[in-house]
Amino acid sequence: MIEINVSSKNPAALTAALKKIKEMSSSGSISKDSAIHIILEPGIYRESVRYNLSNPLVIESFPGTKAEDCVIKADNCESYNKGLINRGVFVFGSNSTKVILKNFTIENAHVKTIEEGDSFADSAEALVWSNTAGTLTCSGMRITGRQNTLYVKGITFFSECVISGDKDFIYGESELAYFEECELYLLEDTFGEKDSCVVNSQSVAGKSGFVFKNCKFTGDRKNKSTAYVIRTDGKGSSNSLKDWDNVALINCIIEDWYSPEMVFDDDMNLKIFPRGNAKNGIREYGTKIIEKGGKLTVADTARRNVMSYTLTDEDYYRFYASRFLICQNTPLAGI
C-alpha cells in the first residue's frame, strides 16, 4: 500500500496527490491495482477533486480529527461547469474500483440563484459516484450542499454520515445505496420556505434502490411549506431499466413536520412505480415520529401514499434484519 499525507497549506494539495498517483500508474512505477492510502491533515481544502483510476483508494482525516475540521470545499454547479462529472466537488469516475472515505467533510458551497422551474443550472453536487462496477464506502462523513448534494450509481454504503441539502439532495440510478445510522438533514431553501424532499429515486429496475436503516430524517423545521422524504419523477414502468421508485425505510425516525404522505407525486399527477412490496417500491418498517419536544411515537401509516407498503415482521426478518441480509448478493456482503 502506498501512503501519502496531504496538507491543506498547499494549494490544490489533494488534486496534486491524485495526479502524482496517476503519473506513477501510467509510467508503470506502481501497478494499476496498488492500493492507495491518503491521510488528510486538518484544514480546508479549497478544490474540486476528480478520481478515475482503478487503484483501490482510502482517504481519511488524520486520526483524532473531527469530520467538520477537515473539509474539501468548492463552489461549483451546472451553470459553471456543465455535466454531472464536472459540476461536483468530489467526483469518482467509471474506472474506480474500491473507494473508502472516512471522517471528513465534502461541501459544495454554491448558493442557488435560480428558483424552481428553471433550476437545472443550480444543480450542485458535493459527492458524485458515477460508477456501476466498483463500490463506495463512506463512514463518519459529512456531505453537504444545497441541490442534488449526493449522486450515486451502482453499489454504495454510508455509515454514521450526516448528509444535508434543501432539494432532492440524495438521488441517482442506484442498485443499492445503503444508509445505516445516518442523519439526513433537510435545510431551509435559499429562497425561503418551499416544498422539498430528501430522496429522488431513479433506481435500477428490480434492485433494492435506496435503503435507510436506523436513520434520522431531520432538518430546519418547516411551518409554511411541506417536506417529503421521497419524490418520484413519475418515469418508472415495467419496461423501464431505471427510474423505479425503490426506497426502503427500516426502523427510521422522522421529525413530525415531514408530510405523513411521505411521497411527493404532484397530487397523483406523477406515476409511482412499482407498487410497494417486500423487495421493491416504497416500503417501510418500524418508523417512529419524533415531536418537537423529543417524544417518540409509532408512525401512523394510514396516510401514506397509496403505492407505499408496510413491511410485515416476516418481510423484515427475511430481508432487512441485518446488514448481511440487506447487502447479500452484492460486493458489500462482507462489510
Side-chain angles (χ1 to χ4, degrees):
M1 177 179 287
I2 298 170
E3 293 196 359
I4 301 174
N5 276 55
V6 178
S7 171
S8 64
K9 295 178 182 179
N10 301 318
L14 182 53
T15 298
L18 295 176
K19 182 180 178 181
K20 179 180 179 181
I21 293 166
K22 183 177 180 179
E23 291 170 350
M24 293 169 68
S25 179
S26 298
S27 68
S29 59
I30 63 170
S31 67
K32 295 185 182 299
D33 59 359
S34 296
I36 310 298
H37 183 198
I38 294 179
I39 299 175
L40 302 175
E41 296 183 8
I44 299 178
Y45 297 78
R46 299 187 183 277
E47 53 186 308
S48 292
V49 184
R50 305 288 178 268
Y51 187 79
N52 195 27
L53 300 178
S54 60
N55 299 78
L57 176 68
V58 177
I59 303 179
E60 62 182 318
S61 63
F62 191 83
T65 303
K66 294 181 180 179
E68 56 267 34
D69 293 334
C70 184
V71 183
I72 299 173
K73 182 176 183 178
D75 180 348
N76 201 2
C77 71
E78 176 69 19
S79 61
Y80 298 165
N81 295 291
K82 296 187 182 302
L84 180 65
I85 64 172
N86 298 314
R87 66 180 183 242
V89 173
F90 208 142
V91 178
F92 292 93
S94 59
N95 292 325
S96 303
T97 54
K98 184 177 181 181
V99 174
I100 298 173
L101 307 180
K102 296 181 181 180
N103 201 45
F104 63 93
T105 296
I106 304 172
E107 178 181 354
N108 195 324
H110 181 65
V111 176
K112 296 191 296 182
T113 57
I114 301 174
E115 295 202 42
E116 188 171 1
D118 295 301
S119 59
F120 180 69
D122 275 327
S123 297
E125 287 78 5
L127 175 59
V128 173
W129 177 256
S130 186
N131 185 299
T132 57
T135 59
L136 171 68
T137 301
C138 296
S139 61
M141 294 290 293
R142 299 180 70 89
I143 305 168
T144 183
R146 284 289 174 176
Q147 183 172 308
N148 309 130
T149 302
L150 172 64
Y151 174 87
V152 291
K153 294 177 74 172
I155 308 293
T156 55
F157 172 55
F158 300 83
S159 174
E160 298 181 352
C161 296
V162 178
I163 306 167
S164 60
D166 64 15
K167 179 185 175 185
D168 298 356
F169 66 88
I170 298 174
Y171 81 113
E173 301 163 21
S174 173
E175 295 180 36
L176 172 63
Y178 177 37
F179 299 79
E180 184 178 273
E181 297 185 7
C182 293
E183 180 177 4
L184 302 315
Y185 195 97
L186 186 59
L187 296 166
E188 182 178 354
D189 196 285
T190 306
F191 303 107
E193 287 209 17
K194 288 183 174 291
D195 292 352
S196 55
C197 75
V198 175
V199 185
N200 176 210
S201 173
Q202 302 161 356
S203 298
V204 174
K207 300 296 184 178
S208 298
F210 295 85
V211 178
F212 299 86
K213 186 173 183 181
N214 299 330
C215 292
K216 294 181 179 180
F217 290 81
T218 64
D220 298 329
R221 178 176 289 268
K222 293 181 179 292
N223 298 306
K224 300 177 182 179
S225 60
T226 306
Y228 299 88
V229 173
I230 303 160
R231 180 173 76 82
T232 181
D233 281 338
K235 297 178 180 179
S237 73
S238 58
N239 296 320
S240 61
L241 298 178
K242 59 178 183 177
D243 293 315
W244 279 30
D245 298 302
N246 289 335
V247 182
L249 305 185
I250 311 298
N251 295 329
C252 289
I253 294 173
I254 303 175
E255 290 194 335
D256 61 357
W257 45 272
Y258 278 82
S259 169
E261 294 180 25
M262 191 183 292
V263 186
F264 174 80
D265 61 359
D266 194 22
D267 294 329
M268 300 180 68
N269 288 315
L270 296 173
K271 180 181 181 181
I272 295 175
F273 187 88
R275 179 179 287 276
N277 57 72
K279 298 188 73 174
N280 302 120
I282 297 166
R283 59 239 192 249
E284 67 178 300
Y285 180 88
T287 308
K288 289 185 171 60
I289 302 299
I290 184 168
E291 299 176 2
K292 193 172 183 179
K295 181 181 178 182
L296 279 176
T297 58
V298 176
D300 179 2
T301 59
R303 293 177 61 188
R304 295 293 194 246
N305 186 286
V306 68
M307 297 297 285
S308 300
Y309 173 72
T310 301
L311 296 163
T312 65
D313 288 344
E314 182 180 354
D315 295 331
Y316 172 75
Y317 286 108
R318 185 177 180 186
F319 299 117
Y320 302 98
S322 69
R323 182 185 294 177
F324 174 77
L325 288 173
I326 293 170
C327 298
Q328 64 180 321
N329 302 320
T330 78
L332 296 177
I335 60 174

